Amino acid sequence: MGIRGKDFQIDNIEFNVADIARSKAFYGQAFGWSFTDFGPTYTEFTDGRLAGGFTTGEPVRPGGPLVILYANDLDGVQARLVQAGATISRQAFDFPGGRRFHFIDPDGYELAVWSADK
């Protein structure tokens, strides 16, 4: 594949967070992500397909692009997110091709989860 095969693909998503341990606990519990620490101010996460990072090296910047995750069981993942401490900011709604909801993580980032199942 080489570097050319990655051209124009999302390669990494980085979140500036207040507390790396809290973010690892939240995303680990909610989605089962795994983590690799690179010093006290950075940890890499992976969902098995896409990698990103949590860093305390910059101020928290809620907002920005909407990161959308996929889930086979939309209701199940919503319950897991609430249990992990998320706030549901937009209840599940139908759209052509599926359903989705939005949530706020502990640092104020809004993300969404969608499923093709209605």
Side-chain angles (χ1 to χ4, degrees):
M1 175 188 266
I3 194 75
R4 182 78 175 134
K6 290 185 158 220
D7 200 19
F8 301 115
Q9 294 180 348
I10 294 173
D11 185 56
N12 193 290
I13 298 170
E14 188 171 274
F15 295 89
N16 297 319
V17 299
D19 183 323
I20 288 176
R22 180 181 69 184
S23 295
K24 286 169 62 174
F26 177 81
Y27 286 96
Q29 180 181 346
F31 296 113
W33 292 358
S34 59
F35 306 93
T36 303
D37 294 325
F38 291 95
T41 64
Y42 194 89
T43 191
E44 179 183 74
F45 64 79
T46 182
D47 66 2
R49 184 180 65 124
L50 182 69
F54 298 130
T55 182
T56 57
E58 301 283 330
V60 173
R61 291 188 313 248
L66 180 65
V67 176
I68 303 172
L69 299 105
Y70 184 83
N72 289 324
D73 178 6
L74 199 64
D75 294 332
V77 77
Q78 182 171 339
R80 288 175 62 178
L81 280 162
V82 169
Q83 183 179 10
T87 301
I88 304 304
S89 57
R90 187 168 179 191
Q91 293 297 324
F93 61 94
D94 294 339
F95 66 91
R99 298 185 75 223
R100 85 177 198 201
F101 68 89
H102 294 211
F103 69 93
I104 307 294
D105 82 355
D107 285 289
Y109 288 100
E110 183 172 27
L111 293 88
V113 182
W114 83 281
S115 179
D117 296 332
K118 285 192 173 188

